[in-house]
Amino acid sequence: MAFQSPMPSQQFLLEVFRRVDKDNSGSISADELQQALSNGTWNPFNPETVRLMIGMFDKQNRGTVSFHDFGALWKYVTDWQNCFRSFDSDGSGNIDKNELKTALTAFGYRLSDNLIDILIRKFDRYGKGTILFDDFIQCCIILYTLTSSFRQYDTDMDGVITIHYEQFLSMVFSLKI
């Protein structure tokens, strides 16, 4: 992602971590992270997006994020905020079909309008034809994960693979999405 922000100071991160760690356990759970994050509406942050992010930064496989890993998570969310704002060209607080297509094209994806429509339907939790910040993160993580898995079989990089049904199931069910 080309929208990287500088890493905040350790003292700042510790203060934020302590505010998010409501039960003072020394680690942040998915529920605590969900309560701390905002998607720009008064609705809760998408729990599936929170689960994906916890999984990405949970180095001990405990379902939580330690302070040691919190800095990377904070930077990740901040970078996604900057990215989201840069593609929300009308400043509406959400991403519509054209903005999503622009974003995904900038990320190197060449997807048909039909597939963009499918992504909008899949990640539009409120049926408004747009994607909120938290759903945008989820969409991009899943698209990246699926693409990476596909590329393991696309050895000649032509966008076409031939696999058996069980290979396909194994590929899909082994993904962390």
Side-chain angles (χ1 to χ4, degrees):
M1 209 174 346
F3 305 93
Q4 296 189 357
S5 55
M7 187 65 112
S9 73
Q10 286 291 99
Q11 183 59 39
F12 174 80
L13 286 173
L14 186 57
E15 290 171 19
V16 172
F17 183 85
R18 286 181 178 149
R19 282 197 303 258
V20 176
D21 181 18
K22 298 284 188 199
D23 64 1
N24 296 314
S25 65
S27 61
I28 294 174
S29 68
D31 288 342
E32 289 170 327
L33 184 60
Q34 182 185 21
Q35 291 173 19
L37 294 173
S38 170
N39 65 5
T41 71
W42 294 106
N43 297 307
F45 211 82
N46 185 327
E48 190 58 27
T49 304
V50 172
R51 185 191 65 78
L52 284 170
M53 291 191 310
I54 289 281
M56 291 171 69
F57 293 94
D58 174 17
K59 301 303 181 203
Q60 290 82 31
N61 274 339
R62 295 184 187 153
T64 61
V65 174
S66 68
F67 177 69
H68 178 72
D69 300 319
F70 180 69
L73 173 61
W74 176 269
K75 186 172 181 342
Y76 185 79
V77 171
T78 303
D79 289 345
W80 273 116
Q81 283 177 322
N82 293 335
C83 174
F84 182 84
R85 287 183 186 131
S86 74
F87 290 112
D88 179 16
S89 58
D90 61 2
S92 63
N94 55 55
I95 298 284
D96 65 22
K97 177 184 175 177
N98 292 329
E99 292 166 333
L100 181 62
K101 185 169 186 165
T102 300
L104 296 179
T105 300
F107 299 158
Y109 295 102
R110 301 292 177 256
L111 304 175
S112 68
D113 285 346
N114 185 48
L115 191 55
I116 298 292
D117 288 337
I118 290 169
L119 291 173
I120 290 284
R121 282 194 306 273
K122 171 79 176 157
F123 295 100
D124 172 16
R125 282 186 291 158
Y126 300 104
K128 296 181 179 182
T130 59
I131 299 175
L132 297 172
F133 171 58
D134 48 346
D135 301 317
F136 177 70
I137 294 173
Q138 183 183 0
C139 175
C140 293
I141 291 171
I142 289 175
L143 187 58
Y144 174 81
T145 303
L146 291 170
T147 300
S148 295
S149 185
F150 182 90
R151 284 186 177 154
Q152 289 177 355
Y153 292 95
D154 187 14
T155 54
D156 58 356
M157 301 298 286
D158 67 353
V160 176
I161 62 174
T162 302
I163 58 176
H164 299 283
Y165 181 61
E166 284 201 15
Q167 285 177 299
F168 169 75
L169 291 176
S170 178
M171 177 177 76
V172 171
F173 287 129
S174 65
L175 297 175
K176 284 185 144 186
I177 55 174

PDB file of all heavy atoms in Angstrom, residues 37-51:
ATOM      1  N   LEU A  37     -12.654   0.968  17.339  1.00  0.00           N
ATOM      2  CA  LEU A  37     -12.559   1.408  15.948  1.00  0.00           C
ATOM      3  C   LEU A  37     -13.852   2.062  15.484  1.00  0.00           C
ATOM      4  O   LEU A  37     -14.929   1.734  15.952  1.00  0.00           O
ATOM      5  CB  LEU A  37     -12.233   0.212  15.045  1.00  0.00           C
ATOM      6  CG  LEU A  37     -10.865  -0.421  15.246  1.00  0.00           C
ATOM      7  CD1 LEU A  37     -10.737  -1.686  14.406  1.00  0.00           C
ATOM      8  CD2 LEU A  37      -9.752   0.559  14.891  1.00  0.00           C
ATOM      9  N   SER A  38     -13.703   2.961  14.522  1.00  0.00           N
ATOM     10  CA  SER A  38     -14.863   3.636  13.947  1.00  0.00           C
ATOM     11  C   SER A  38     -14.855   3.469  12.438  1.00  0.00           C
ATOM     12  O   SER A  38     -13.810   3.578  11.803  1.00  0.00           O
ATOM     13  CB  SER A  38     -14.817   5.132  14.290  1.00  0.00           C
ATOM     14  OG  SER A  38     -15.790   5.828  13.559  1.00  0.00           O
ATOM     15  N   ASN A  39     -16.031   3.226  11.882  1.00  0.00           N
ATOM     16  CA  ASN A  39     -16.133   3.114  10.423  1.00  0.00           C
ATOM     17  C   ASN A  39     -16.752   4.367   9.818  1.00  0.00           C
ATOM     18  O   ASN A  39     -17.125   4.387   8.660  1.00  0.00           O
ATOM     19  CB  ASN A  39     -16.922   1.868  10.023  1.00  0.00           C
ATOM     20  CG  ASN A  39     -18.362   1.903  10.462  1.00  0.00           C
ATOM     21  OD1 ASN A  39     -18.837   2.897  10.999  1.00  0.00           O
ATOM     22  ND2 ASN A  39     -19.077   0.817  10.244  1.00  0.00           N
ATOM     23  N   GLY A  40     -16.871   5.418  10.639  1.00  0.00           N
ATOM     24  CA  GLY A  40     -17.415   6.676  10.141  1.00  0.00           C
ATOM     25  C   GLY A  40     -18.918   6.782  10.302  1.00  0.00           C
ATOM     26  O   GLY A  40     -19.518   7.775   9.913  1.00  0.00           O
ATOM     27  N   THR A  41     -19.531   5.758  10.852  1.00  0.00           N
ATOM     28  CA  THR A  41     -20.960   5.793  11.150  1.00  0.00           C
ATOM     29  C   THR A  41     -21.118   5.506  12.638  1.00  0.00           C
ATOM     30  O   THR A  41     -20.147   5.254  13.334  1.00  0.00           O
ATOM     31  CB  THR A  41     -21.738   4.719  10.348  1.00  0.00           C
ATOM     32  OG1 THR A  41     -21.406   3.428  10.870  1.00  0.00           O
ATOM     33  CG2 THR A  41     -21.408   4.784   8.864  1.00  0.00           C
ATOM     34  N   TRP A  42     -22.317   5.504  13.104  1.00  0.00           N
ATOM     35  CA  TRP A  42     -22.549   5.171  14.515  1.00  0.00           C
ATOM     36  C   TRP A  42     -22.754   3.669  14.693  1.00  0.00           C
ATOM     37  O   TRP A  42     -23.076   3.201  15.779  1.00  0.00           O
ATOM     38  CB  TRP A  42     -23.740   5.955  15.062  1.00  0.00           C
ATOM     39  CG  TRP A  42     -23.449   7.425  15.103  1.00  0.00           C
ATOM     40  CD1 TRP A  42     -23.942   8.386  14.270  1.00  0.00           C
ATOM     41  CD2 TRP A  42     -22.561   8.098  15.993  1.00  0.00           C
ATOM     42  NE1 TRP A  42     -23.420   9.610  14.574  1.00  0.00           N
ATOM     43  CE2 TRP A  42     -22.565   9.463  15.639  1.00  0.00           C
ATOM     44  CE3 TRP A  42     -21.734   7.685  17.050  1.00  0.00           C
ATOM     45  CZ2 TRP A  42     -21.802  10.410  16.313  1.00  0.00           C
ATOM     46  CZ3 TRP A  42     -20.977   8.635  17.713  1.00  0.00           C
ATOM     47  CH2 TRP A  42     -21.018   9.974  17.345  1.00  0.00           C
ATOM     48  N   ASN A  43     -22.554   2.905  13.634  1.00  0.00           N
ATOM     49  CA  ASN A  43     -22.693   1.455  13.703  1.00  0.00           C
ATOM     50  C   ASN A  43     -21.378   0.820  14.140  1.00  0.00           C
ATOM     51  O   ASN A  43     -20.309   1.362  13.872  1.00  0.00           O
ATOM     52  CB  ASN A  43     -23.093   0.901  12.334  1.00  0.00           C
ATOM     53  CG  ASN A  43     -24.447   1.421  11.906  1.00  0.00           C
ATOM     54  OD1 ASN A  43     -25.413   1.313  12.648  1.00  0.00           O
ATOM     55  ND2 ASN A  43     -24.513   2.005  10.715  1.00  0.00           N
ATOM     56  N   PRO A  44     -21.431  -0.354  14.777  1.00  0.00           N
ATOM     57  CA  PRO A  44     -20.193  -1.028  15.191  1.00  0.00           C
ATOM     58  C   PRO A  44     -19.331  -1.403  13.987  1.00  0.00           C
ATOM     59  O   PRO A  44     -19.836  -1.680  12.912  1.00  0.00           O
ATOM     60  CB  PRO A  44     -20.682  -2.287  15.906  1.00  0.00           C
ATOM     61  CG  PRO A  44     -22.132  -2.101  16.143  1.00  0.00           C
ATOM     62  CD  PRO A  44     -22.635  -1.085  15.160  1.00  0.00           C
ATOM     63  N   PHE A  45     -18.035  -1.396  14.211  1.00  0.00           N
ATOM     64  CA  PHE A  45     -17.078  -1.831  13.197  1.00  0.00           C
ATOM     65  C   PHE A  45     -17.386  -3.284  12.850  1.00  0.00           C
ATOM     66  O   PHE A  45     -17.740  -4.075  13.727  1.00  0.00           O
ATOM     67  CB  PHE A  45     -15.662  -1.715  13.771  1.00  0.00           C
ATOM     68  CG  PHE A  45     -14.594  -1.414  12.758  1.00  0.00           C
ATOM     69  CD1 PHE A  45     -14.362  -0.124  12.327  1.00  0.00           C
ATOM     70  CD2 PHE A  45     -13.794  -2.428  12.278  1.00  0.00           C
ATOM     71  CE1 PHE A  45     -13.354   0.154  11.414  1.00  0.00           C
ATOM     72  CE2 PHE A  45     -12.778  -2.165  11.365  1.00  0.00           C
ATOM     73  CZ  PHE A  45     -12.559  -0.871  10.935  1.00  0.00           C
ATOM     74  N   ASN A  46     -17.269  -3.645  11.606  1.00  0.00           N
ATOM     75  CA  ASN A  46     -17.606  -4.986  11.137  1.00  0.00           C
ATOM     76  C   ASN A  46     -16.816  -6.040  11.929  1.00  0.00           C
ATOM     77  O   ASN A  46     -15.583  -6.052  11.885  1.00  0.00           O
ATOM     78  CB  ASN A  46     -17.282  -5.095   9.646  1.00  0.00           C
ATOM     79  CG  ASN A  46     -17.703  -6.399   9.033  1.00  0.00           C
ATOM     80  OD1 ASN A  46     -17.690  -7.439   9.671  1.00  0.00           O
ATOM     81  ND2 ASN A  46     -18.069  -6.344   7.771  1.00  0.00           N
ATOM     82  N   PRO A  47     -17.506  -6.932  12.654  1.00  0.00           N
ATOM     83  CA  PRO A  47     -16.788  -7.928  13.462  1.00  0.00           C
ATOM     84  C   PRO A  47     -15.929  -8.879  12.625  1.00  0.00           C
ATOM     85  O   PRO A  47     -14.894  -9.355  13.092  1.00  0.00           O
ATOM     86  CB  PRO A  47     -17.903  -8.695  14.189  1.00  0.00           C
ATOM     87  CG  PRO A  47     -19.173  -8.314  13.531  1.00  0.00           C
ATOM     88  CD  PRO A  47     -18.951  -7.038  12.788  1.00  0.00           C
ATOM     89  N   GLU A  48     -16.316  -9.130  11.402  1.00  0.00           N
ATOM     90  CA  GLU A  48     -15.524 -10.005  10.533  1.00  0.00           C
ATOM     91  C   GLU A  48     -14.205  -9.330  10.148  1.00  0.00           C
ATOM     92  O   GLU A  48     -13.154  -9.976  10.100  1.00  0.00           O
ATOM     93  CB  GLU A  48     -16.330 -10.379   9.287  1.00  0.00           C
ATOM     94  CG  GLU A  48     -15.718 -11.457   8.451  1.00  0.00           C
ATOM     95  CD  GLU A  48     -15.490 -12.769   9.197  1.00  0.00           C
ATOM     96  OE1 GLU A  48     -16.206 -13.071  10.169  1.00  0.00           O
ATOM     97  OE2 GLU A  48     -14.563 -13.502   8.798  1.00  0.00           O
ATOM     98  N   THR A  49     -14.240  -8.020   9.908  1.00  0.00           N
ATOM     99  CA  THR A  49     -13.019  -7.276   9.600  1.00  0.00           C
ATOM    100  C   THR A  49     -12.100  -7.276  10.820  1.00  0.00           C
ATOM    101  O   THR A  49     -10.886  -7.468  10.694  1.00  0.00           O
ATOM    102  CB  THR A  49     -13.354  -5.830   9.183  1.00  0.00           C
ATOM    103  OG1 THR A  49     -14.263  -5.862   8.085  1.00  0.00           O
ATOM    104  CG2 THR A  49     -12.109  -5.071   8.771  1.00  0.00           C
ATOM    105  N   VAL A  50     -12.683  -7.087  11.996  1.00  0.00           N
ATOM    106  CA  VAL A  50     -11.897  -7.100  13.236  1.00  0.00           C
ATOM    107  C   VAL A  50     -11.239  -8.469  13.411  1.00  0.00           C
ATOM    108  O   VAL A  50     -10.048  -8.568  13.730  1.00  0.00           O
ATOM    109  CB  VAL A  50     -12.779  -6.743  14.452  1.00  0.00           C
ATOM    110  CG1 VAL A  50     -12.016  -6.936  15.749  1.00  0.00           C
ATOM    111  CG2 VAL A  50     -13.296  -5.318  14.344  1.00  0.00           C
ATOM    112  N   ARG A  51     -11.986  -9.530  13.171  1.00  0.00           N
ATOM    113  CA  ARG A  51     -11.450 -10.888  13.300  1.00  0.00           C
ATOM    114  C   ARG A  51     -10.274 -11.096  12.341  1.00  0.00           C
ATOM    115  O   ARG A  51      -9.238 -11.653  12.716  1.00  0.00           O
ATOM    116  CB  ARG A  51     -12.545 -11.920  13.025  1.00  0.00           C
ATOM    117  CG  ARG A  51     -12.104 -13.366  13.243  1.00  0.00           C
ATOM    118  CD  ARG A  51     -13.116 -14.376  12.722  1.00  0.00           C
ATOM    119  NE  ARG A  51     -13.292 -14.340  11.284  1.00  0.00           N
ATOM    120  CZ  ARG A  51     -12.445 -14.872  10.394  1.00  0.00           C
ATOM    121  NH1 ARG A  51     -11.348 -15.469  10.797  1.00  0.00           N
ATOM    122  NH2 ARG A  51     -12.686 -14.800   9.098  1.00  0.00           N
TER     123      ARG A  51
END
